[in-house]
Amino acid sequence: MELLALVFLIPAFPLLGFLTLLVIGRPLGEPLAGWLATAAMAGSFGATVLVYLGLRNEDAENRMFNQTLFEWIPAGDFSVDIGFLADPLSIAMCLFITGIGTLIHVYSVGYMHGDEHFSKFFLYLNLF
């Protein structure tokens, strides 16, 4: 269960990379801004792998983790919650997206070499 509680890190790493590049991206310059963005994406992939391993340790009927962050619309017996749901399908998609996204970041460090908006590109790439 401890590994499943790390599900919030999957979107947190790219968001942290975005915020860091927003503040200090231009002074970092090329290629450090790109490698920082790539590290943030790789951290997200690592968190996804840990959540996947946590799901594998659960029984087949209990392979689901729901983490509620807050209640958005409470109205009598009806409520809409904001949170994270980790099940085998969503984690498989996260593994695919974060893994390929990390490879795209690595490729883009070389592809964007010499571009005047290098840091801005990785700022938006982490946000995407």
Side-chain angles (χ1 to χ4, degrees):
M1 184 61 102
E2 298 84 25
L3 290 177
L4 294 175
L6 298 177
V7 72
F8 76 95
L9 289 176
I10 297 170
F13 276 117
L15 182 62
L16 182 63
F18 167 77
L19 293 174
T20 304
L21 288 173
L22 185 64
V23 174
I24 62 167
R26 189 175 297 246
L28 277 179
E30 183 183 340
L32 289 179
W35 290 120
L36 177 78
T38 304
M41 199 65 203
S44 182
F45 178 70
T48 306
V49 169
L50 290 176
V51 172
Y52 169 75
L53 293 174
L55 277 179
R56 283 195 52 198
N57 292 336
E58 297 292 325
D59 295 334
E61 295 112 20
N62 296 330
R63 285 197 178 139
M64 186 175 75
F65 179 72
N66 189 5
Q67 185 177 38
T68 302
L69 299 178
F70 59 90
E71 193 175 21
W72 183 40
I73 302 175
D77 292 335
F78 176 75
S79 71
V80 177
D81 297 333
I82 301 294
F84 299 110
L85 171 68
D87 61 0
L89 179 60
S90 64
I91 293 303
M93 291 305 297
C94 284
L95 282 169
F96 181 75
I97 291 167
T98 58
I100 299 298
T102 301
L103 295 176
I104 291 170
H105 276 69
V106 170
Y107 175 80
S108 296
V109 171
Y111 182 78
M112 292 298 293
H113 175 68
D115 192 274
E116 65 182 83
H117 300 293
F118 186 87
S119 299
K120 185 186 280 188
F121 174 80
F122 282 98
L123 171 84
Y124 292 133
L125 194 58
N126 258 173
L127 186 62
F128 175 70

